[in-house]
Amino acid sequence: MTHRFHPTVLREYDIRGIIGETLGPDDARAIGRGFATLLREAGGQKVAVGYDGRVSSPMLEHALVEGLTASGCDVVRVGMGPTPMLYYAEASAEDVHGGIQITGSHNPANYNGFKMVFQGRPFFGADIQLLGDLAARGAWANGTGSIEVHEILDDYVERLLQGLAGIDPGALAGIKVGWDAGNGAAGPALEKLAARLPGEHHLLFTEVDGNFPNHHPDPTVEANLADLKALVAAKQLDFGVAFDGDGDRIGAIDGQGRVIWGDQLLMIYAEDVLKSHPGATVIADVKASRALFDRVAECGGRPLMWKTGHSLIKSKMKEVSSPLAGEMSGHVFFADSYYGFDDALYAGVRLLAASARLGKSVTQLRGEMPAMLNTPELRFQVDESRKFAAIGEIAQRIAESDAVADTTDGVRVTTDDGWWLLRASNTQDVLVARAESDSEEGLARLLAQIDEQLALSGLERGESVGH
């Protein structure tokens, strides 16, 4: 028996598709069979399986479990919850060797997919392509695995609360926070967590609904933070936190309703973490502000710019023993006293902790940051066959000029005006551009340089497209 996946489904960091069009139960079964085959070859046996709140998730979970057990792996079903709860199930149990979360993350409601952990490391890139190869050949192990159900939500919430270890609860007694779960999978965990946190907490949209009736669960798009901003203003809260659909990415606003972007959150976390880990390496992706890298150095840390993508960042953290990393997209990774995976609920707890330890409100911390003018991520369609080639051409031209460039991931050029970036998305047929300056004129010059490079490769920065 063999299986062929739709060509768009096996992606760089995870597996994702449109239910009923490019992804269905047969794919889930084949993923289970392939993953179990690879895990058993590596000496593993037990896999934790979780799923998010999408309408199609229980169906895919059922088929995935069938596939895993048919290839001889034992399954621990942890049920519906955020992706980091599944990561916790895998990281905290000695006898669990892999984990799979069924989630469409922040994609529209008709999408779904799979995020995977393999013996404590991210499962991505070539690993995912191998699943396709095994399926095409039907080269799966056979066996009969067992199934057990493990209610893990309370243990997980207990672990999240340890993010406040060592802080006098009195220091946070007067804090007032708004939280927006966006009808995503983090809702039930958030309700249990907020009930036990010091201070006053106001919750929005904690009921899990895979149709996302209130707003799309992507906190990196400012329009999706409108409800949270209204709540913070109406109740005069200190700050607000929002989650994406599967709870692994955080968005935040301060008490004045200003967005605290991913790299700005990392500035706050870095100041806190570097107090207890002096000289440590802090990693951020190539889209992050120069202000962040400068701030890490000011606080005595070693800033490291790395490739965009949660799997790539997690791998780099292990390699250089970094206690903290993050991305513009709101993935934040703590490995100082946590497991090094991206967990937005834990990041929310750590924002409370950082404010208490640094003795400043989140609004004050945001207000002290340098005012930089930057573009959002500008994403525009480029043919799949052309996107990497175009970046290669641009890198070649920049290398032959006297420009200062970093080619860790795409091309990031630093000038007197600031910096600009062009990179190819690993997950879509788009190029991503971003620029940052301390003046409007400087930003205009940087964007002109981006347009010039695109034109030399026969491309133009057309209408920006969504995620």
Side-chain angles (χ1 to χ4, degrees), residues 301-319:
R302 284 199 299 272
L304 175 63
M305 192 188 296
W306 196 240
K307 299 172 184 178
T308 294
H310 65 95
S311 302
L312 302 169
I313 296 237
K314 280 182 237 189
S315 300
K316 192 67 179 174
M317 280 182 89
K318 285 200 164 155
E319 185 190 317

PDB file of all heavy atoms in Angstrom, residues 301-319:
ATOM      1  N   GLY A 301      24.591  40.765  26.986  1.00  0.00           N
ATOM      2  CA  GLY A 301      24.400  39.493  26.284  1.00  0.00           C
ATOM      3  C   GLY A 301      25.080  39.489  24.932  1.00  0.00           C
ATOM      4  O   GLY A 301      25.617  40.503  24.472  1.00  0.00           O
ATOM      5  N   ARG A 302      25.069  38.319  24.287  1.00  0.00           N
ATOM      6  CA  ARG A 302      25.620  38.187  22.941  1.00  0.00           C
ATOM      7  C   ARG A 302      24.463  38.029  21.955  1.00  0.00           C
ATOM      8  O   ARG A 302      23.817  36.976  21.928  1.00  0.00           O
ATOM      9  CB  ARG A 302      26.536  36.956  22.842  1.00  0.00           C
ATOM     10  CG  ARG A 302      27.895  37.160  23.483  1.00  0.00           C
ATOM     11  CD  ARG A 302      28.902  36.138  22.961  1.00  0.00           C
ATOM     12  NE  ARG A 302      28.482  34.773  23.283  1.00  0.00           N
ATOM     13  CZ  ARG A 302      28.782  34.148  24.419  1.00  0.00           C
ATOM     14  NH1 ARG A 302      29.482  34.761  25.348  1.00  0.00           N
ATOM     15  NH2 ARG A 302      28.382  32.909  24.631  1.00  0.00           N
ATOM     16  N   PRO A 303      24.159  39.061  21.151  1.00  0.00           N
ATOM     17  CA  PRO A 303      23.065  38.940  20.188  1.00  0.00           C
ATOM     18  C   PRO A 303      23.469  38.062  19.009  1.00  0.00           C
ATOM     19  O   PRO A 303      24.597  38.161  18.518  1.00  0.00           O
ATOM     20  CB  PRO A 303      22.830  40.388  19.745  1.00  0.00           C
ATOM     21  CG  PRO A 303      24.107  41.113  20.022  1.00  0.00           C
ATOM     22  CD  PRO A 303      24.812  40.383  21.126  1.00  0.00           C
ATOM     23  N   LEU A 304      22.571  37.215  18.567  1.00  0.00           N
ATOM     24  CA  LEU A 304      22.838  36.353  17.410  1.00  0.00           C
ATOM     25  C   LEU A 304      21.645  36.426  16.462  1.00  0.00           C
ATOM     26  O   LEU A 304      20.520  36.115  16.843  1.00  0.00           O
ATOM     27  CB  LEU A 304      23.073  34.903  17.859  1.00  0.00           C
ATOM     28  CG  LEU A 304      23.256  33.854  16.747  1.00  0.00           C
ATOM     29  CD1 LEU A 304      24.497  34.140  15.919  1.00  0.00           C
ATOM     30  CD2 LEU A 304      23.361  32.454  17.350  1.00  0.00           C
ATOM     31  N   MET A 305      21.907  36.848  15.227  1.00  0.00           N
ATOM     32  CA  MET A 305      20.851  36.903  14.212  1.00  0.00           C
ATOM     33  C   MET A 305      20.794  35.553  13.509  1.00  0.00           C
ATOM     34  O   MET A 305      21.824  35.035  13.088  1.00  0.00           O
ATOM     35  CB  MET A 305      21.178  38.015  13.211  1.00  0.00           C
ATOM     36  CG  MET A 305      20.028  38.361  12.276  1.00  0.00           C
ATOM     37  SD  MET A 305      20.541  39.526  10.969  1.00  0.00           S
ATOM     38  CE  MET A 305      20.953  40.976  11.913  1.00  0.00           C
ATOM     39  N   TRP A 306      19.570  34.991  13.395  1.00  0.00           N
ATOM     40  CA  TRP A 306      19.458  33.660  12.775  1.00  0.00           C
ATOM     41  C   TRP A 306      18.271  33.602  11.828  1.00  0.00           C
ATOM     42  O   TRP A 306      17.499  34.549  11.710  1.00  0.00           O
ATOM     43  CB  TRP A 306      19.381  32.574  13.865  1.00  0.00           C
ATOM     44  CG  TRP A 306      19.645  31.200  13.316  1.00  0.00           C
ATOM     45  CD1 TRP A 306      18.805  30.120  13.338  1.00  0.00           C
ATOM     46  CD2 TRP A 306      20.827  30.759  12.628  1.00  0.00           C
ATOM     47  NE1 TRP A 306      19.388  29.049  12.705  1.00  0.00           N
ATOM     48  CE2 TRP A 306      20.621  29.406  12.260  1.00  0.00           C
ATOM     49  CE3 TRP A 306      22.029  31.378  12.265  1.00  0.00           C
ATOM     50  CZ2 TRP A 306      21.577  28.654  11.558  1.00  0.00           C
ATOM     51  CZ3 TRP A 306      22.984  30.646  11.567  1.00  0.00           C
ATOM     52  CH2 TRP A 306      22.760  29.303  11.232  1.00  0.00           C
ATOM     53  N   LYS A 307      18.150  32.461  11.159  1.00  0.00           N
ATOM     54  CA  LYS A 307      17.116  32.271  10.144  1.00  0.00           C
ATOM     55  C   LYS A 307      15.724  32.260  10.764  1.00  0.00           C
ATOM     56  O   LYS A 307      15.532  31.767  11.865  1.00  0.00           O
ATOM     57  CB  LYS A 307      17.336  30.937   9.414  1.00  0.00           C
ATOM     58  CG  LYS A 307      18.668  30.853   8.687  1.00  0.00           C
ATOM     59  CD  LYS A 307      18.917  29.454   8.147  1.00  0.00           C
ATOM     60  CE  LYS A 307      20.300  29.387   7.515  1.00  0.00           C
ATOM     61  NZ  LYS A 307      20.622  28.043   7.012  1.00  0.00           N
ATOM     62  N   THR A 308      14.751  32.783   9.998  1.00  0.00           N
ATOM     63  CA  THR A 308      13.349  32.749  10.401  1.00  0.00           C
ATOM     64  C   THR A 308      12.825  31.308  10.342  1.00  0.00           C
ATOM     65  O   THR A 308      13.185  30.559   9.448  1.00  0.00           O
ATOM     66  CB  THR A 308      12.533  33.650   9.459  1.00  0.00           C
ATOM     67  OG1 THR A 308      12.941  35.004   9.665  1.00  0.00           O
ATOM     68  CG2 THR A 308      11.046  33.521   9.708  1.00  0.00           C
ATOM     69  N   GLY A 309      11.957  30.960  11.311  1.00  0.00           N
ATOM     70  CA  GLY A 309      11.359  29.618  11.337  1.00  0.00           C
ATOM     71  C   GLY A 309      11.546  28.980  12.693  1.00  0.00           C
ATOM     72  O   GLY A 309      12.676  28.830  13.164  1.00  0.00           O
ATOM     73  N   HIS A 310      10.435  28.609  13.357  1.00  0.00           N
ATOM     74  CA  HIS A 310      10.532  28.139  14.751  1.00  0.00           C
ATOM     75  C   HIS A 310      11.416  26.899  14.881  1.00  0.00           C
ATOM     76  O   HIS A 310      12.176  26.764  15.831  1.00  0.00           O
ATOM     77  CB  HIS A 310       9.141  27.919  15.363  1.00  0.00           C
ATOM     78  CG  HIS A 310       8.327  26.830  14.744  1.00  0.00           C
ATOM     79  ND1 HIS A 310       8.290  25.566  15.239  1.00  0.00           N
ATOM     80  CD2 HIS A 310       7.496  26.838  13.666  1.00  0.00           C
ATOM     81  CE1 HIS A 310       7.478  24.818  14.496  1.00  0.00           C
ATOM     82  NE2 HIS A 310       6.986  25.566  13.534  1.00  0.00           N
ATOM     83  N   SER A 311      11.378  26.003  13.895  1.00  0.00           N
ATOM     84  CA  SER A 311      12.207  24.790  13.967  1.00  0.00           C
ATOM     85  C   SER A 311      13.694  25.134  13.866  1.00  0.00           C
ATOM     86  O   SER A 311      14.531  24.562  14.573  1.00  0.00           O
ATOM     87  CB  SER A 311      11.829  23.832  12.832  1.00  0.00           C
ATOM     88  OG  SER A 311      10.467  23.499  12.896  1.00  0.00           O
ATOM     89  N   LEU A 312      14.013  26.087  12.977  1.00  0.00           N
ATOM     90  CA  LEU A 312      15.417  26.476  12.775  1.00  0.00           C
ATOM     91  C   LEU A 312      15.962  27.169  14.020  1.00  0.00           C
ATOM     92  O   LEU A 312      17.101  26.936  14.433  1.00  0.00           O
ATOM     93  CB  LEU A 312      15.521  27.405  11.565  1.00  0.00           C
ATOM     94  CG  LEU A 312      15.003  26.826  10.238  1.00  0.00           C
ATOM     95  CD1 LEU A 312      14.906  27.900   9.167  1.00  0.00           C
ATOM     96  CD2 LEU A 312      15.895  25.692   9.754  1.00  0.00           C
ATOM     97  N   ILE A 313      15.144  28.017  14.637  1.00  0.00           N
ATOM     98  CA  ILE A 313      15.581  28.741  15.845  1.00  0.00           C
ATOM     99  C   ILE A 313      15.778  27.768  17.011  1.00  0.00           C
ATOM    100  O   ILE A 313      16.764  27.847  17.746  1.00  0.00           O
ATOM    101  CB  ILE A 313      14.561  29.839  16.207  1.00  0.00           C
ATOM    102  CG1 ILE A 313      14.539  30.878  15.070  1.00  0.00           C
ATOM    103  CG2 ILE A 313      14.867  30.448  17.556  1.00  0.00           C
ATOM    104  CD1 ILE A 313      14.818  32.297  15.397  1.00  0.00           C
ATOM    105  N   LYS A 314      14.841  26.826  17.189  1.00  0.00           N
ATOM    106  CA  LYS A 314      14.979  25.841  18.282  1.00  0.00           C
ATOM    107  C   LYS A 314      16.268  25.040  18.131  1.00  0.00           C
ATOM    108  O   LYS A 314      16.974  24.784  19.114  1.00  0.00           O
ATOM    109  CB  LYS A 314      13.783  24.880  18.299  1.00  0.00           C
ATOM    110  CG  LYS A 314      12.544  25.442  18.959  1.00  0.00           C
ATOM    111  CD  LYS A 314      11.424  24.420  18.973  1.00  0.00           C
ATOM    112  CE  LYS A 314      10.218  24.963  18.302  1.00  0.00           C
ATOM    113  NZ  LYS A 314       9.000  24.207  18.397  1.00  0.00           N
ATOM    114  N   SER A 315      16.567  24.638  16.903  1.00  0.00           N
ATOM    115  CA  SER A 315      17.789  23.857  16.662  1.00  0.00           C
ATOM    116  C   SER A 315      19.033  24.682  16.992  1.00  0.00           C
ATOM    117  O   SER A 315      19.980  24.182  17.599  1.00  0.00           O
ATOM    118  CB  SER A 315      17.842  23.396  15.196  1.00  0.00           C
ATOM    119  OG  SER A 315      16.733  22.592  14.890  1.00  0.00           O
ATOM    120  N   LYS A 316      19.025  25.958  16.602  1.00  0.00           N
ATOM    121  CA  LYS A 316      20.179  26.837  16.852  1.00  0.00           C
ATOM    122  C   LYS A 316      20.358  27.071  18.350  1.00  0.00           C
ATOM    123  O   LYS A 316      21.482  27.112  18.860  1.00  0.00           O
ATOM    124  CB  LYS A 316      19.989  28.177  16.130  1.00  0.00           C
ATOM    125  CG  LYS A 316      21.250  29.040  16.096  1.00  0.00           C
ATOM    126  CD  LYS A 316      22.335  28.406  15.240  1.00  0.00           C
ATOM    127  CE  LYS A 316      23.588  29.238  15.148  1.00  0.00           C
ATOM    128  NZ  LYS A 316      24.661  28.516  14.428  1.00  0.00           N
ATOM    129  N   MET A 317      19.250  27.205  19.082  1.00  0.00           N
ATOM    130  CA  MET A 317      19.333  27.390  20.534  1.00  0.00           C
ATOM    131  C   MET A 317      20.082  26.255  21.212  1.00  0.00           C
ATOM    132  O   MET A 317      20.912  26.467  22.088  1.00  0.00           O
ATOM    133  CB  MET A 317      17.927  27.434  21.140  1.00  0.00           C
ATOM    134  CG  MET A 317      17.215  28.737  21.009  1.00  0.00           C
ATOM    135  SD  MET A 317      15.618  28.623  21.829  1.00  0.00           S
ATOM    136  CE  MET A 317      16.029  29.129  23.501  1.00  0.00           C
ATOM    137  N   LYS A 318      19.742  25.020  20.787  1.00  0.00           N
ATOM    138  CA  LYS A 318      20.414  23.853  21.382  1.00  0.00           C
ATOM    139  C   LYS A 318      21.907  23.897  21.062  1.00  0.00           C
ATOM    140  O   LYS A 318      22.745  23.620  21.915  1.00  0.00           O
ATOM    141  CB  LYS A 318      19.789  22.562  20.841  1.00  0.00           C
ATOM    142  CG  LYS A 318      18.440  22.279  21.461  1.00  0.00           C
ATOM    143  CD  LYS A 318      18.025  20.829  21.335  1.00  0.00           C
ATOM    144  CE  LYS A 318      16.880  20.575  22.303  1.00  0.00           C
ATOM    145  NZ  LYS A 318      16.003  19.501  21.957  1.00  0.00           N
ATOM    146  N   GLU A 319      22.213  24.251  19.813  1.00  0.00           N
ATOM    147  CA  GLU A 319      23.601  24.252  19.357  1.00  0.00           C
ATOM    148  C   GLU A 319      24.473  25.215  20.159  1.00  0.00           C
ATOM    149  O   GLU A 319      25.604  24.897  20.509  1.00  0.00           O
ATOM    150  CB  GLU A 319      23.612  24.641  17.865  1.00  0.00           C
ATOM    151  CG  GLU A 319      24.960  24.576  17.203  1.00  0.00           C
ATOM    152  CD  GLU A 319      24.924  25.204  15.804  1.00  0.00           C
ATOM    153  OE1 GLU A 319      23.953  24.952  15.065  1.00  0.00           O
ATOM    154  OE2 GLU A 319      25.854  25.957  15.481  1.00  0.00           O
TER     155      GLU A 319
END
